[in-house]
Amino acid sequence: GGGSTTKFEPVKGRPEIDFIAVGGQSNAAGGGDFIDSSLVVHADPEMAFRYQNDTIVYINDNQNFTKTSVSLWPSFARTYNIITGRKICIVNRVAGGSTQVAAATSCAGLPAGNTWDTTGDRVQRTLDTLNLAATVLYRMGYSPKFKGILWVQGESDGQAISPSFGSCIDSAAYHAAFQTM
């Protein structure tokens, strides 16, 4: 990639906040239908945030979804906070209809370039977004600490592996592309 990277190190004297990347296909946005609104989980607004449009906002449900949909990220953030006792910021970098293997895009009938493979720019865009999120967190007075990536990917690639879609790729190609990423 051509973008810059930042070393995410805690800064002495500032409160730490953990941040994680969420990436992959549209399922990584965390949306799901619900029937019983009592199942909606709310995160502590002082402990759980998300990066959105160059700002940090409290994480809440129904973010970017319809009124009949919930996100898994408030529940994840709440559980993370309960287990670790630490603040968390979710940095969501989802690419709907993307593939892990570039060759799977044509087989699945998807636009070329919408891939996490080395021929696409999804990985670099995610790194750039993480850098921006860390900068915003720092400007807010936090010491951001990068904790990792939650990855939700494979539907389009799985279809491309399937004989019913022509077996354009095999599982070894998916594994190799994932490891390279």
Side-chain angles (χ1 to χ4, degrees):
S4 65
T5 58
T6 302
K7 190 170 186 178
F8 303 112
E9 300 273 339
V11 179
K12 192 173 185 174
R14 287 176 170 246
E16 289 186 0
I17 186 169
D18 296 343
F19 71 111
I20 61 166
V22 173
Q25 288 181 270
S26 57
N27 294 344
D33 295 333
F34 72 91
I35 297 169
D36 182 352
S37 62
S38 69
L39 299 175
V40 174
V41 174
H42 298 283
D44 180 342
E46 296 298 320
M47 300 302 286
F49 307 89
R50 65 186 170 97
Y51 175 77
Q52 174 184 313
N53 302 327
D54 293 331
T55 189
I56 304 298
V57 297
Y58 295 119
I59 198 167
N60 57 13
D61 239 321
N62 297 324
Q63 60 192 33
N64 303 321
F65 302 107
T66 66
K67 291 182 179 179
T68 60
S69 180
V70 296
S71 168
L72 67 92
W73 302 121
S75 179
F76 174 86
R78 181 176 184 266
T79 303
Y80 184 91
N81 175 253
I82 289 169
I83 291 170
T84 66
R86 296 175 61 84
K87 292 183 179 190
I88 184 170
C89 181
I90 306 287
V91 181
N92 203 321
R93 193 68 172 125
V94 174
S98 62
T99 64
Q100 188 69 60
V101 181
T105 56
S106 61
C107 181
L110 300 168
N114 193 20
T115 182
W116 296 89
D117 207 339
T118 56
T119 61
D121 65 354
R122 297 284 173 209
V123 173
Q124 189 58 54
R125 289 168 120 187
T126 300
L127 292 173
D128 293 344
T129 302
L130 284 169
N131 282 318
L132 291 170
T135 300
V136 171
L137 288 166
Y138 183 83
R139 286 182 186 150
M140 290 177 67
Y142 290 107
S143 177
K145 187 172 184 181
F146 180 67
K147 289 296 199 169
I149 300 169
L150 297 174
W151 193 250
V152 182
Q153 178 75 34
E155 180 182 358
S156 297
D157 297 278
Q159 289 175 342
I161 292 169
S162 169
S164 61
F165 282 84
S167 300
C168 304
I169 64 169
D170 60 20
S171 59
Y174 178 84
H175 181 78
F178 181 74
Q179 292 299 318
T180 299
M181 179 193 66

